[in-house]
Amino acid sequence: MDPLAFITALARDAGALLRDRLNDPRRIEQKQPQDLVTDADRASEALIVERIRDAFPRAAILGEEGGAYRGDGDERFIVDPLDGTTNYAHRYPLFCVSIAYERAGVLEAGAIYAPLLDELYAARKGGGATRNGEPICVSTIGAVANAMVCTGFNPARYARNGRHFGALSNLAQAVRRDGSAALDLAFVATGIYDAFWEFDLKPWDIAAGWVLIEEAGGRVGAIAGGPLDLDEGSILASNGAIHDEIQSALARADAG
Ligand code: 2AM
Ligand code: CA
Ligand code: CA
Ligand code: CA
């Protein structure tokens, strides 16, 4: 089975499950303060893991809510069954399912589905990126002063996040913080946001978005510069044109 066709169908089905349950009574648990998991995260991951085990029994799986399999081949699925859990718990409509497919250590395909927008973002390495089947590309904004940029906050780094948010608020046309890193990356790929940065994300937050942005003509790197490390997770993603300007602005804010 074609992995991209498989993960797009799967992201759609898991997203439909999330949409169907949105108004049901929620069971919310706190893994840590400000780190929630709901019955919907778990149900979505269970559906995704079952379907992967069925179709790709040898593949490894890395899922946020514990759906981990080691596998015995060179394929791996990286799964966020619900990105934007806090949004979901409050019925704020920006949340999504994010699934990436990796082979021999290379991210080959990514799918992100936002059920309340009914937007399916998909990309295959070397094959371009799409939204609901139509080709997409990053924006052509060439200066931060004309840009709408987005960030996310890891609760552990509020002081630094505040400095960065303040610095970019002064420089950019607009800054947003909307709580779903995977969807934010899809929005960079389709040219809504001109850049996105966040510290300390996990592989399931960024793997699918990484493929999307590269295939949409954008640039993905580490906030500190150099290539992004999926396991380190501090990501700066952009349309390419404003990448260096954002990176310098973040570094200047750190330097005080
Ligand atoms: P989640 O909803 O799948 O947990 C928001 O800034 C982003 O950070 C979301 O993509 C969210 O993913 C993730 N996130 C939420 N809580 C977090 C935490 N405690 N540490 C790191 N990332 C978190
Ligand atoms: Ca989570
Ligand atoms: Ca996430
Ligand atoms: Ca999640």
PDB file of all heavy atoms in Angstrom, residues 202-225:
ATOM      1  N   LYS A 202       8.209  17.670  20.282  1.00  0.00           N
ATOM      2  CA  LYS A 202       8.495  16.238  20.186  1.00  0.00           C
ATOM      3  C   LYS A 202       8.427  15.813  18.715  1.00  0.00           C
ATOM      4  O   LYS A 202       7.795  16.500  17.897  1.00  0.00           O
ATOM      5  CB  LYS A 202       7.457  15.449  20.993  1.00  0.00           C
ATOM      6  CG  LYS A 202       7.410  15.828  22.454  1.00  0.00           C
ATOM      7  CD  LYS A 202       8.669  15.412  23.162  1.00  0.00           C
ATOM      8  CE  LYS A 202       8.526  15.638  24.661  1.00  0.00           C
ATOM      9  NZ  LYS A 202       9.773  15.447  25.386  1.00  0.00           N
ATOM     10  N   PRO A 203       9.010  14.671  18.391  1.00  0.00           N
ATOM     11  CA  PRO A 203       8.996  14.237  16.984  1.00  0.00           C
ATOM     12  C   PRO A 203       7.586  14.219  16.374  1.00  0.00           C
ATOM     13  O   PRO A 203       7.413  14.592  15.209  1.00  0.00           O
ATOM     14  CB  PRO A 203       9.586  12.821  17.049  1.00  0.00           C
ATOM     15  CG  PRO A 203      10.463  12.831  18.256  1.00  0.00           C
ATOM     16  CD  PRO A 203       9.807  13.762  19.244  1.00  0.00           C
ATOM     17  N   TRP A 204       6.585  13.820  17.152  1.00  0.00           N
ATOM     18  CA  TRP A 204       5.221  13.724  16.589  1.00  0.00           C
ATOM     19  C   TRP A 204       4.610  15.097  16.320  1.00  0.00           C
ATOM     20  O   TRP A 204       3.666  15.193  15.558  1.00  0.00           O
ATOM     21  CB  TRP A 204       4.302  12.897  17.504  1.00  0.00           C
ATOM     22  CG  TRP A 204       4.408  13.262  18.955  1.00  0.00           C
ATOM     23  CD1 TRP A 204       3.837  14.323  19.570  1.00  0.00           C
ATOM     24  CD2 TRP A 204       5.139  12.546  19.963  1.00  0.00           C
ATOM     25  NE1 TRP A 204       4.168  14.336  20.897  1.00  0.00           N
ATOM     26  CE2 TRP A 204       4.959  13.249  21.171  1.00  0.00           C
ATOM     27  CE3 TRP A 204       5.923  11.369  19.959  1.00  0.00           C
ATOM     28  CZ2 TRP A 204       5.537  12.829  22.375  1.00  0.00           C
ATOM     29  CZ3 TRP A 204       6.491  10.951  21.149  1.00  0.00           C
ATOM     30  CH2 TRP A 204       6.304  11.684  22.334  1.00  0.00           C
ATOM     31  N   ASP A 205       5.138  16.147  16.944  1.00  0.00           N
ATOM     32  CA  ASP A 205       4.625  17.494  16.654  1.00  0.00           C
ATOM     33  C   ASP A 205       5.129  18.008  15.306  1.00  0.00           C
ATOM     34  O   ASP A 205       4.477  18.849  14.681  1.00  0.00           O
ATOM     35  CB  ASP A 205       5.096  18.499  17.717  1.00  0.00           C
ATOM     36  CG  ASP A 205       4.601  18.172  19.114  1.00  0.00           C
ATOM     37  OD1 ASP A 205       3.412  17.903  19.268  1.00  0.00           O
ATOM     38  OD2 ASP A 205       5.437  18.203  20.053  1.00  0.00           O
ATOM     39  N   ILE A 206       6.319  17.581  14.905  1.00  0.00           N
ATOM     40  CA  ILE A 206       7.006  18.270  13.803  1.00  0.00           C
ATOM     41  C   ILE A 206       7.296  17.412  12.576  1.00  0.00           C
ATOM     42  O   ILE A 206       7.575  17.963  11.508  1.00  0.00           O
ATOM     43  CB  ILE A 206       8.334  18.913  14.295  1.00  0.00           C
ATOM     44  CG1 ILE A 206       9.225  17.902  15.006  1.00  0.00           C
ATOM     45  CG2 ILE A 206       8.021  20.087  15.198  1.00  0.00           C
ATOM     46  CD1 ILE A 206      10.509  18.525  15.589  1.00  0.00           C
ATOM     47  N   ALA A 207       7.226  16.073  12.695  1.00  0.00           N
ATOM     48  CA  ALA A 207       7.709  15.226  11.582  1.00  0.00           C
ATOM     49  C   ALA A 207       6.909  15.468  10.296  1.00  0.00           C
ATOM     50  O   ALA A 207       7.483  15.709   9.228  1.00  0.00           O
ATOM     51  CB  ALA A 207       7.654  13.752  11.986  1.00  0.00           C
ATOM     52  N   ALA A 208       5.585  15.425  10.381  1.00  0.00           N
ATOM     53  CA  ALA A 208       4.766  15.592   9.169  1.00  0.00           C
ATOM     54  C   ALA A 208       4.906  17.013   8.619  1.00  0.00           C
ATOM     55  O   ALA A 208       5.043  17.216   7.404  1.00  0.00           O
ATOM     56  CB  ALA A 208       3.304  15.270   9.471  1.00  0.00           C
ATOM     57  N   GLY A 209       4.907  18.005   9.506  1.00  0.00           N
ATOM     58  CA  GLY A 209       5.025  19.392   9.072  1.00  0.00           C
ATOM     59  C   GLY A 209       6.354  19.679   8.386  1.00  0.00           C
ATOM     60  O   GLY A 209       6.432  20.493   7.462  1.00  0.00           O
ATOM     61  N   TRP A 210       7.387  19.021   8.840  1.00  0.00           N
ATOM     62  CA  TRP A 210       8.716  19.176   8.232  1.00  0.00           C
ATOM     63  C   TRP A 210       8.676  18.793   6.751  1.00  0.00           C
ATOM     64  O   TRP A 210       9.136  19.536   5.871  1.00  0.00           O
ATOM     65  CB  TRP A 210       9.717  18.316   9.012  1.00  0.00           C
ATOM     66  CG  TRP A 210      11.149  18.514   8.670  1.00  0.00           C
ATOM     67  CD1 TRP A 210      11.669  19.259   7.642  1.00  0.00           C
ATOM     68  CD2 TRP A 210      12.271  17.952   9.372  1.00  0.00           C
ATOM     69  NE1 TRP A 210      13.043  19.181   7.665  1.00  0.00           N
ATOM     70  CE2 TRP A 210      13.432  18.396   8.696  1.00  0.00           C
ATOM     71  CE3 TRP A 210      12.400  17.125  10.490  1.00  0.00           C
ATOM     72  CZ2 TRP A 210      14.718  18.019   9.124  1.00  0.00           C
ATOM     73  CZ3 TRP A 210      13.669  16.761  10.917  1.00  0.00           C
ATOM     74  CH2 TRP A 210      14.817  17.208  10.248  1.00  0.00           C
ATOM     75  N   VAL A 211       8.088  17.621   6.452  1.00  0.00           N
ATOM     76  CA  VAL A 211       7.978  17.181   5.048  1.00  0.00           C
ATOM     77  C   VAL A 211       7.152  18.189   4.254  1.00  0.00           C
ATOM     78  O   VAL A 211       7.516  18.593   3.145  1.00  0.00           O
ATOM     79  CB  VAL A 211       7.317  15.784   4.945  1.00  0.00           C
ATOM     80  CG1 VAL A 211       7.320  15.309   3.495  1.00  0.00           C
ATOM     81  CG2 VAL A 211       8.001  14.773   5.840  1.00  0.00           C
ATOM     82  N   LEU A 212       6.036  18.626   4.830  1.00  0.00           N
ATOM     83  CA  LEU A 212       5.143  19.570   4.141  1.00  0.00           C
ATOM     84  C   LEU A 212       5.874  20.855   3.756  1.00  0.00           C
ATOM     85  O   LEU A 212       5.764  21.335   2.624  1.00  0.00           O
ATOM     86  CB  LEU A 212       3.984  19.950   5.065  1.00  0.00           C
ATOM     87  CG  LEU A 212       2.785  19.019   5.085  1.00  0.00           C
ATOM     88  CD1 LEU A 212       1.926  19.312   6.303  1.00  0.00           C
ATOM     89  CD2 LEU A 212       1.967  19.223   3.815  1.00  0.00           C
ATOM     90  N   ILE A 213       6.596  21.423   4.724  1.00  0.00           N
ATOM     91  CA  ILE A 213       7.232  22.723   4.468  1.00  0.00           C
ATOM     92  C   ILE A 213       8.348  22.592   3.439  1.00  0.00           C
ATOM     93  O   ILE A 213       8.472  23.414   2.530  1.00  0.00           O
ATOM     94  CB  ILE A 213       7.728  23.343   5.786  1.00  0.00           C
ATOM     95  CG1 ILE A 213       6.506  23.764   6.612  1.00  0.00           C
ATOM     96  CG2 ILE A 213       8.629  24.537   5.514  1.00  0.00           C
ATOM     97  CD1 ILE A 213       6.820  24.268   7.987  1.00  0.00           C
ATOM     98  N   GLU A 214       9.143  21.539   3.543  1.00  0.00           N
ATOM     99  CA  GLU A 214      10.211  21.381   2.547  1.00  0.00           C
ATOM    100  C   GLU A 214       9.615  21.180   1.161  1.00  0.00           C
ATOM    101  O   GLU A 214      10.102  21.733   0.180  1.00  0.00           O
ATOM    102  CB  GLU A 214      11.126  20.235   2.946  1.00  0.00           C
ATOM    103  CG  GLU A 214      11.865  20.615   4.230  1.00  0.00           C
ATOM    104  CD  GLU A 214      13.231  19.995   4.379  1.00  0.00           C
ATOM    105  OE1 GLU A 214      13.386  18.828   3.984  1.00  0.00           O
ATOM    106  OE2 GLU A 214      14.122  20.688   4.918  1.00  0.00           O
ATOM    107  N   GLU A 215       8.536  20.431   1.075  1.00  0.00           N
ATOM    108  CA  GLU A 215       7.924  20.175  -0.234  1.00  0.00           C
ATOM    109  C   GLU A 215       7.169  21.395  -0.761  1.00  0.00           C
ATOM    110  O   GLU A 215       6.874  21.483  -1.946  1.00  0.00           O
ATOM    111  CB  GLU A 215       7.005  18.957  -0.157  1.00  0.00           C
ATOM    112  CG  GLU A 215       7.772  17.658  -0.017  1.00  0.00           C
ATOM    113  CD  GLU A 215       8.749  17.446  -1.186  1.00  0.00           C
ATOM    114  OE1 GLU A 215       8.387  17.751  -2.324  1.00  0.00           O
ATOM    115  OE2 GLU A 215       9.890  16.998  -0.931  1.00  0.00           O
ATOM    116  N   ALA A 216       6.824  22.311   0.147  1.00  0.00           N
ATOM    117  CA  ALA A 216       6.142  23.543  -0.266  1.00  0.00           C
ATOM    118  C   ALA A 216       7.148  24.658  -0.551  1.00  0.00           C
ATOM    119  O   ALA A 216       6.763  25.806  -0.754  1.00  0.00           O
ATOM    120  CB  ALA A 216       5.160  23.982   0.815  1.00  0.00           C
ATOM    121  N   GLY A 217       8.432  24.334  -0.539  1.00  0.00           N
ATOM    122  CA  GLY A 217       9.455  25.312  -0.896  1.00  0.00           C
ATOM    123  C   GLY A 217       9.976  26.127   0.269  1.00  0.00           C
ATOM    124  O   GLY A 217      10.696  27.106   0.066  1.00  0.00           O
ATOM    125  N   GLY A 218       9.645  25.747   1.492  1.00  0.00           N
ATOM    126  CA  GLY A 218      10.106  26.496   2.661  1.00  0.00           C
ATOM    127  C   GLY A 218      11.378  25.917   3.250  1.00  0.00           C
ATOM    128  O   GLY A 218      12.023  25.052   2.656  1.00  0.00           O
ATOM    129  N   ARG A 219      11.721  26.435   4.419  1.00  0.00           N
ATOM    130  CA  ARG A 219      12.973  26.032   5.077  1.00  0.00           C
ATOM    131  C   ARG A 219      12.679  25.643   6.524  1.00  0.00           C
ATOM    132  O   ARG A 219      11.928  26.334   7.219  1.00  0.00           O
ATOM    133  CB  ARG A 219      13.956  27.189   5.018  1.00  0.00           C
ATOM    134  CG  ARG A 219      15.284  26.908   5.704  1.00  0.00           C
ATOM    135  CD  ARG A 219      16.284  28.004   5.327  1.00  0.00           C
ATOM    136  NE  ARG A 219      17.345  28.077   6.320  1.00  0.00           N
ATOM    137  CZ  ARG A 219      18.185  29.103   6.462  1.00  0.00           C
ATOM    138  NH1 ARG A 219      18.092  30.159   5.657  1.00  0.00           N
ATOM    139  NH2 ARG A 219      19.116  29.088   7.391  1.00  0.00           N
ATOM    140  N   VAL A 220      13.293  24.550   6.961  1.00  0.00           N
ATOM    141  CA  VAL A 220      13.142  24.065   8.331  1.00  0.00           C
ATOM    142  C   VAL A 220      14.528  23.914   8.928  1.00  0.00           C
ATOM    143  O   VAL A 220      15.410  23.328   8.297  1.00  0.00           O
ATOM    144  CB  VAL A 220      12.403  22.702   8.351  1.00  0.00           C
ATOM    145  CG1 VAL A 220      12.396  22.112   9.754  1.00  0.00           C
ATOM    146  CG2 VAL A 220      10.978  22.851   7.836  1.00  0.00           C
ATOM    147  N   GLY A 221      14.724  24.454  10.129  1.00  0.00           N
ATOM    148  CA  GLY A 221      16.020  24.306  10.787  1.00  0.00           C
ATOM    149  C   GLY A 221      15.850  24.349  12.298  1.00  0.00           C
ATOM    150  O   GLY A 221      14.732  24.431  12.816  1.00  0.00           O
ATOM    151  N   ALA A 222      16.989  24.291  12.995  1.00  0.00           N
ATOM    152  CA  ALA A 222      16.979  24.460  14.448  1.00  0.00           C
ATOM    153  C   ALA A 222      16.915  25.952  14.765  1.00  0.00           C
ATOM    154  O   ALA A 222      17.432  26.773  14.009  1.00  0.00           O
ATOM    155  CB  ALA A 222      18.237  23.848  15.046  1.00  0.00           C
ATOM    156  N   ILE A 223      16.296  26.313  15.892  1.00  0.00           N
ATOM    157  CA  ILE A 223      16.223  27.734  16.265  1.00  0.00           C
ATOM    158  C   ILE A 223      17.632  28.313  16.410  1.00  0.00           C
ATOM    159  O   ILE A 223      17.897  29.447  16.019  1.00  0.00           O
ATOM    160  CB  ILE A 223      15.409  27.924  17.577  1.00  0.00           C
ATOM    161  CG1 ILE A 223      13.948  27.544  17.340  1.00  0.00           C
ATOM    162  CG2 ILE A 223      15.527  29.367  18.074  1.00  0.00           C
ATOM    163  CD1 ILE A 223      13.064  27.628  18.572  1.00  0.00           C
ATOM    164  N   ALA A 224      18.534  27.488  16.928  1.00  0.00           N
ATOM    165  CA  ALA A 224      19.906  27.957  17.140  1.00  0.00           C
ATOM    166  C   ALA A 224      20.716  28.003  15.853  1.00  0.00           C
ATOM    167  O   ALA A 224      21.884  28.402  15.862  1.00  0.00           O
ATOM    168  CB  ALA A 224      20.594  27.048  18.155  1.00  0.00           C
ATOM    169  N   GLY A 225      20.125  27.595  14.736  1.00  0.00           N
ATOM    170  CA  GLY A 225      20.848  27.524  13.467  1.00  0.00           C
ATOM    171  C   GLY A 225      21.235  26.089  13.166  1.00  0.00           C
ATOM    172  O   GLY A 225      21.220  25.233  14.048  1.00  0.00           O
TER     173      GLY A 225
END
